[in-house]
Amino acid sequence: MRTAAIRGDITALWLNDLKSHWRSGGAVIAGMTTPRTLLCLEQLAHDTWRRVLERVAYPSAPAGSDPQLVSWIIGL
Amino acid sequence: MRVPPNVSPNDFASALMEFRRVLGDEWVFTSDEDLDLYRDAYSPFMNEPEERVASGALAPISTEQVQQIVRIANRYRIPLYTISTGKNLGYGGSAPAYSGSVVLDLKRMNRILEVNEANAYALVEPGVSYFDLYRYIQERKLKVWIDCPDPGWGSVIGNAIDRGGGYTAANYRNHFDAHCGMEVVLPNGELLRTGMGAIPEAQTWQQFKSACGPWIDGIFSQSNYGIVTKMGFWLMPQPEAYMRCAVSLSRYADLSPLVEILNYLENSRITQGFPDISSPLLGYGPIGQIQLFFERGPGKSSPEQQKLVSGAKLGFSPELEAYAVESGTPYWEVLLSYYGPMEVIEAQWRATQRHFSAIQGTKFRIVDRVTLPLDPARIESYHEPEFGVPSLRAFSIGARTPWTPTPSKGHMWFSPIIPRTGDAIIEANRVFGEAARQLDMPLFQTFCLPACYWERAFIFILATPVTEDPATNRHYREGFRKLIEIGGQHGWGEYRTAPVFQQAVTDVYSFNNHALRGFHETLKDAIDPNGILSAGRYAIWPRYLREKQS
């Protein structure tokens, strides 16, 4: 199992890894990110006809602390 | 199963069967879970009955398949809505303008047919994204640049025919203007090539735009007269060097001469890059650093400055100006970018300084000066699109940060075109500032400066939030429509808008009793008599829907 860390911007992950992984028929991925990052991944996943299979949003953290997170699974 | 409006379930079932025969079962989508992927993620009608949704989706892989789909759609009067990749969030995404249409999704048509380094052009299909074209060029070490929007995940063709803009040199930033030659499937299924492409053995399709006779390319942008299946683009030869320089001005009244001089320098091609006007004093940052603004806020300023800014009217008070002069905080700053041989751009910078020196007290500094290509490890320290590098960093707009603890769900861009003068900037702030207060819309922090995507005119961009609360969204939608109307009363109109506002925006273009709309409708009726293509796109409705509406 491979893992990747991101910090807001998913450009590098998308260009260097996910794009070819998905285009070559790669399997499901799962993660925990901000909702905004998931929105990006969801839109990009649609390029290869993948979708979010499951998402769980966690309660909002207080303002000024770490951002709200959501865990998810993306696959065919 | 969802069924398009004005189509019987039997006819739709028959059409789907024929679509499947052409495309194969797996490329015809009718389930709710598939069609949900075509919802507009930033829809201001999210989860309301008026949200525009698809009844089906089709994903052809070739021009021939597109032609066959169009012929079937004509037989059964199926409304189609074409998208390239559907990523223009803030301007409608993948959702159809006419709810219930069948989305014709061209993202599988993703071939890069040619990139010519020697004469700097490309020919692509609609499913090719900026990332795809960039990667193709990088892998082959070709010495050409693309010009991409920000974010750069969308279709090269889709963005151009939606008339999007970018960030490199002026003659590439207007993506529609930078195109050269189209292939179009007409609503009757016939195939057309524009420009020199109309010659069967064309040698110069991507090299000469207008050919001979009427130049019709424009009617296939922001419209519904055909399906663009190939399009050529002029690329920027990789420049030898890049220089970014700042011109800082200390007085409020300097804004008008700043714009006048900038116009002269740009229109003379003395500066070619994206001019980025900001106000360090008012806390309005450059567009190239907009993600930093949303992440970190307007930057640190003293309590005195904050108090003076909040008490200023239209960004001005004598006390604030005195503070600017005494503290050395620029009232206005414009970042200018230069591309070319170092000796040329240094000379251009010297000429720039000579012109701006006419304004008393102007300060100059070189922000950066590099030879190209950039070391890939350094690119992240820049605004990537200014180097023709696509990025997704723009998605920090609206992200939840300490500065933005309750981000919006999305946004709708309100983006009227205003004249390129300092007076127009102040007038737009007065007009839309008053409107925003009266309409109770959170559009302004302090003062808004326009964007210089294109020469000759400004775009005055205001982001209107989309939330998860229908009542709030309704309030903002009504406010948005009012802003459009107010803009029109001042002679300003949007350059582009989401489908839900296309009727309101084009209502403003009403010269001589809507002669322009009348002409669009005459074309629509002649070219697409059954009204199957992208009904309602930019408020061009086919006759049968115009009659229903009236």
Side-chain angles (χ1 to χ4, degrees):
Chain A
M1 186 173 71
R2 288 188 299 132
T3 59
I6 55 166
R7 193 172 175 177
D9 180 14
I10 61 165
T11 308
L13 175 68
W14 165 245
L15 263 185
N16 302 329
D17 194 335
L18 276 184
K19 193 166 189 269
S20 53
H21 176 75
W22 278 341
R23 284 202 173 168
S24 62
V28 297
I29 64 167
M32 181 178 278
T33 62
T34 63
R36 181 62 52 146
T37 298
L38 176 57
L39 171 75
C40 290
L41 288 169
E42 189 170 15
Q43 294 283 326
L44 292 166
H46 190 198
D47 286 352
T48 51
W49 314 96
R50 284 165 172 76
R51 63 170 68 89
V52 176
L53 302 174
E54 188 174 315
R55 74 182 85 206
V56 179
Y58 296 93
S60 295
S65 64
D66 290 339
Q68 184 188 1
L69 293 174
V70 55
S71 64
W72 45 262
I73 298 171
I74 295 176
L76 282 166
Chain B
M1 184 176 70
R2 303 179 194 176
V3 178
N6 306 308
V7 176
S8 74
N10 279 348
D11 278 355
F12 191 45
S14 300
L16 288 173
M17 202 160 65
E18 294 199 36
F19 289 142
R20 289 190 175 104
R21 224 177 351 249
V22 172
L23 302 176
D25 286 352
E26 65 177 318
W27 303 114
V28 177
F29 304 101
T30 56
S31 72
D32 284 348
E33 63 176 5
D34 283 326
L35 297 181
D36 279 351
L37 298 173
Y38 292 95
R39 292 173 72 179
D40 174 11
Y42 286 4
S43 171
F45 282 106
M46 186 64 77
N47 298 321
E48 293 183 68
E50 296 92 338
E51 183 186 345
R52 296 166 189 217
V53 294
S55 286
L58 311 170
I61 198 166
S62 67
T63 299
E64 292 73 24
Q65 287 188 348
V66 172
Q67 291 177 276
Q68 291 178 70
I69 287 168
V70 164
R71 290 184 181 120
I72 295 165
N74 267 297
R75 276 203 295 282
Y76 294 98
R77 305 290 196 268
I78 307 295
L80 301 172
Y81 186 79
T82 311
I83 62 166
S84 299
T85 60
K87 292 209 167 46
N88 56 344
L89 302 188
Y91 286 117
S94 307
Y98 177 43
S99 196
S101 298
V102 172
V103 172
L104 183 57
D105 180 344
L106 304 181
K107 71 165 71 82
R108 291 176 69 216
M109 296 174 63
N110 58 3
R111 292 182 302 159
I112 295 168
L113 299 162
E114 183 181 7
V115 175
N116 184 301
E117 185 182 37
N119 204 13
Y121 64 81
L123 179 66
V124 298
E125 291 187 327
V128 173
S129 72
Y130 289 98
F131 278 118
D132 294 331
L133 187 54
Y134 173 73
R135 175 58 65 94
Y136 180 100
I137 288 168
Q138 292 301 304
E139 285 174 351
R140 288 159 183 77
K141 301 188 189 314
L142 304 176
K143 292 187 172 55
V144 287
W145 280 14
I146 62 169
D147 185 284
C148 56
D150 192 15
W153 63 359
S155 155
V156 179
I157 289 183
N159 188 270
I161 59 178
D162 226 22
R163 303 211 280 260
Y167 296 86
T168 65
N171 40 334
Y172 304 97
R173 291 203 303 270
N174 184 324
H175 294 163
F176 189 77
D177 278 4
H179 97 273
C180 188
M182 290 177 166
E183 179 185 86
V184 184
V185 173
L186 295 174
N188 63 359
E190 194 178 3
L191 193 62
L192 172 94
R193 285 185 175 175
T194 69
M196 303 306 282
I199 299 174
E201 299 299 326
Q203 298 283 304
T204 55
W205 190 17
Q206 273 62 63
Q207 297 169 50
F208 187 72
K209 294 186 181 191
S210 54
C212 197
W215 189 26
I216 61 168
D217 293 40
I219 70 166
F220 298 110
S221 70
Q222 294 191 351
S223 73
N224 50 19
Y225 301 130
I227 298 166
V228 179
T229 49
K230 292 183 183 67
M231 200 163 164
F233 293 93
W234 287 354
L235 304 173
M236 180 170 165
Q238 179 182 286
E240 293 176 24
Y242 166 87
M243 190 156 68
R244 164 169 273 207
C245 306
V247 178
S248 304
L249 303 152
S250 57
R251 295 177 192 280
Y252 187 74
D254 291 339
L255 184 60
S256 283
L258 180 158
V259 174
E260 279 177 28
I261 294 168
L262 173 63
N263 290 350
Y264 172 78
L265 295 171
E266 259 207 302
N267 296 343
S268 309
R269 291 284 195 269
I270 293 169
T271 175
Q272 324 94 318
F274 183 92
D276 210 345
I277 306 173
S278 65
S279 174
L281 182 70
L282 298 172
Y284 193 94
I287 284 175
Q289 294 170 17
I290 194 167
Q291 72 275 10
L292 296 179
F293 178 85
F294 278 91
E295 284 165 18
R296 301 173 191 169
K300 284 184 181 163
S301 57
S302 69
E304 184 190 359
Q305 183 180 342
Q306 290 170 27
K307 190 177 167 196
L308 288 169
V309 168
S310 65
K313 273 192 166 180
L314 289 176
F316 176 76
S317 73
E319 297 78 15
L320 181 61
E321 186 169 77
Y323 175 89
V325 173
E326 284 163 21
S327 67
T329 310
Y331 224 121
W332 315 112
E333 187 162 271
V334 58
L335 293 172
L336 299 167
S337 301
Y338 303 83
Y339 302 93
M342 191 63 88
E343 64 270 30
V344 173
I345 63 180
E346 283 179 340
Q348 289 171 323
W349 172 230
R350 281 197 299 276
T352 300
Q353 291 175 85
R354 179 163 53 79
H355 281 276
F356 273 113
S357 293
I359 307 173
Q360 194 182 4
T362 306
K363 291 179 180 159
F364 303 98
R365 73 177 194 281
I366 295 174
V367 179
D368 209 341
R369 178 167 37 189
V370 290
T371 54
L372 300 171
L374 272 182
D375 174 357
R378 286 192 65 195
I379 187 66
E380 283 185 14
S381 61
Y382 293 93
H383 181 222
E384 295 96 328
E386 287 180 49
F387 295 85
V389 179
S391 164
L392 294 168
R393 281 169 73 189
F395 281 101
S396 57
I397 299 173
R400 186 168 183 268
T401 66
W403 163 249
T404 316
T406 52
S408 64
K409 175 85 177 162
H411 51 260
M412 311 172 272
W413 294 119
F414 177 67
S415 41
I417 301 294
I418 65 167
R420 255 209 191 216
T421 66
D423 287 349
I425 295 173
I426 292 167
E427 178 68 356
N429 271 278
R430 185 188 67 75
V431 168
F432 292 123
E434 275 178 25
R437 276 189 295 279
Q438 284 171 9
L439 297 166
D440 189 24
M441 294 181 76
L443 301 177
F444 284 81
Q445 297 289 343
T446 51
F447 190 86
C448 180
L449 285 162
C452 307
Y453 286 96
W454 305 304
E455 304 154 285
R456 316 284 170 168
F458 284 135
I459 310 178
F460 194 80
I461 303 176
L462 298 170
T464 308
V466 174
T467 74
E468 291 181 326
D469 174 37
T472 305
N473 288 341
R474 191 176 314 119
H475 172 73
Y476 290 156
R477 288 194 309 263
E478 287 164 5
F480 198 103
R481 290 201 169 87
K482 191 69 189 165
L483 290 172
I484 293 166
E485 195 184 312
I486 291 168
Q489 288 161 1
H490 289 81
W492 306 323
E494 271 63 34
Y495 86 102
R496 180 184 185 189
T497 195
V500 295
F501 300 113
Q502 285 169 358
Q503 188 75 41
V505 163
T506 55
D507 279 349
V508 164
Y509 291 79
S510 61
F511 171 75
N512 192 21
N513 194 27
H514 287 283
L516 182 60
R517 176 174 289 161
F519 185 69
H520 290 162
E521 289 172 352
T522 302
L523 282 179
K524 183 67 178 170
D525 294 344
I527 297 171
D528 184 12
N530 294 326
I532 57 146
L533 274 196
S534 300
R537 185 166 166 77
Y538 279 88
I540 305 167
W541 294 96
R543 187 191 301 274
Y544 80 96
L545 288 171
R546 292 203 302 274
E547 287 166 358
K548 274 183 190 300
Q549 283 177 334
S550 64

